[in-house]
Amino acid sequence: MKNLFTKKQYDNLKGYLQSAKHVAIITHTNPDGDAIGSAVAFSLILKKLNIDSDIIVSNDFPEFLHWIDGSDKITVYTKNRQEARNAIKTADLIFCLDFNSLSRIEILGKIVRETTVPRILIDHHIEPADDFDLKFSYYPISSTAELVYRIGTKLLETKILPKNIAEALFCGMMTDSGAFYHSSSYPDFFKIIANLLDCGVEKDRITHLIYDNFTENRMKLLGYALSKMVVLPEYASAYITLSREDLNKFDFQIGDTEGFVNYPLSIKGIVLSLLLVEKDDHIKLSIRSQGNFNVNEMARKHFHGGGHLNAAGGKMLCKYENCKTELEKIIKDYEKKLHDT
Ligand code: 5GP
Ligand code: MN
């Protein structure tokens, strides 16, 4: 398997870990399967190395991830502010997983900036910020969970992992590759998946827990969202907008709109898909594309966000009533690029 990181990086990491007594592991806001899977797996790996850690996130994560062993110990800032703050303030080493800039973790970023301890990044997003003392950053890879697998097996000096670690890693690799649909077209990805199965991962059970765990309301919200989708064939684009009122009608629970943005890409000829969801003080955007249309660039330029080549996110600060007009203006600017994809 190709080495993604240098001996010096690993030596530095081991040096930091040797003097660490209590570690904070932080992952991104609106945590997804890769965020939670990689953070929990990394925490369990540190435990095997006799290092204690806390996992801290800025807001809650969806119920379809609650089966992950150890996810119940995660400290959620919005539910337990003092505990989250203390966990960061008392850590002697901070790991940042599955995001590439402290601006991505909102209030937690401010708390991290108030500390002076080393910060280590493990992440697969393009163009990491200068916020870290040591970076394990590699973007042409499926997931942060895959990086944690590669780093963790090096630290533990074995590929034989306990089932709970293997399942958390499997969760990250599966969800971030859209259930092996994208970002996974290289043999090492499947070699790692094969090894995780060898470690006892029950693939069908986990798949079922993640993908067949929706409420009736969530399915109906999906149907409603698709029924109001706007398709712009002349721009090879489609988008869905959901207002707070729409969400309330279907008793919205966190995580319910996860995956919605992928559906418009199944339409023949559509290469750009956007989902706009009204939040308290902004509109949250999810953006997906096919081929070489770069949504990371689009999110950075227009939506205060970022992400990957084909999956990115960000926000719009206009009123919900105006978001369609604003969005269509931006899409029209990309007409040539959309047709060249
Ligand atoms: P999602 O649409 O699933 O929320 O996010 C897709 C990808 O874009 C993820 O890799 C996520 O980390 C990234 N992303 C989502 N929202 C933001 C944002 O507001 N800022 C940045 N920089 N990246 C984001
Ligand atoms: Mn990820």
Side-chain angles (χ1 to χ4, degrees), residues 144-313:
T144 298
E146 184 176 339
L147 295 179
V148 168
Y149 171 90
R150 288 164 181 263
I151 295 165
T153 50
K154 268 251 167 36
L155 292 173
L156 296 170
E157 297 176 352
T158 175
K159 288 195 160 56
I160 303 168
L161 299 171
K163 184 177 171 184
N164 57 353
I165 297 181
E167 288 192 336
L169 293 173
F170 182 85
C171 169
M173 290 177 69
M174 180 167 72
T175 54
D176 251 29
S177 64
F180 317 131
Y181 186 72
H182 54 78
S183 318
S184 49
S185 301
Y186 49 96
D188 278 353
F189 176 90
F190 288 98
K191 285 180 190 160
I192 294 172
I193 292 291
N195 185 50
L196 294 176
L197 295 178
D198 269 340
C199 296
V201 169
E202 293 176 54
K203 176 176 106 25
D204 292 1
R205 186 178 68 86
I206 305 274
T207 307
H208 179 66
L209 286 170
I210 293 175
Y211 294 109
D212 306 326
N213 208 353
F214 297 126
T215 59
E216 181 182 339
N217 271 322
R218 189 270 183 190
M219 287 308 271
K220 289 188 169 152
L221 176 62
L222 171 63
Y224 174 72
L226 293 178
S227 74
K228 67 185 294 212
M229 170 179 62
V230 177
V231 182
L232 306 169
E234 63 279 34
Y235 299 104
S237 303
Y239 67 87
I240 297 167
T241 57
L242 291 170
S243 68
R244 236 167 327 172
E245 206 184 329
D246 293 336
L247 300 180
N248 289 342
K249 250 189 264 171
F250 295 92
D251 186 30
F252 174 79
Q253 304 294 315
I254 196 154
D256 276 357
T257 55
E258 194 108 344
F260 284 15
V261 66
N262 295 312
Y263 286 90
L265 288 183
S266 308
I267 303 170
K268 194 173 173 181
I270 296 300
V271 300
L272 173 66
S273 165
L274 304 99
L275 172 72
L276 284 67
V277 181
E278 186 183 17
K279 301 282 175 189
D280 285 345
D281 58 353
H282 67 277
I283 295 156
K284 157 96 180 97
L285 257 93
S286 282
I287 320 172
R288 300 292 185 270
S289 67
Q290 308 271 26
N292 53 20
F293 185 83
N294 190 332
V295 290
N296 169 54
E297 264 173 26
M298 186 185 213
R300 280 175 183 247
K301 185 163 175 200
H302 298 282
F303 304 119
H304 317 274
H308 312 275
L309 174 70
N310 298 124

Side-chain angles (χ1 to χ4, degrees), residues 24-75:
I25 300 170
I26 305 175
T27 187
H28 63 78
T29 306
N30 302 324
D32 56 13
D34 189 31
I36 301 298
S38 63
V40 169
F42 193 61
S43 171
L44 294 169
I45 288 166
L46 291 182
K47 199 166 169 197
K48 284 186 79 62
L49 297 165
N50 292 318
I51 300 168
D52 271 343
S53 59
D54 279 315
I55 304 171
I56 306 107
V57 292
S58 50
N59 62 349
D60 212 352
F61 55 93
E63 201 184 313
F64 64 80
L65 299 173
H66 285 190
W67 59 270
I68 298 175
D69 188 21
S71 65
D72 55 329
K73 296 193 187 72
I74 294 175
T75 305

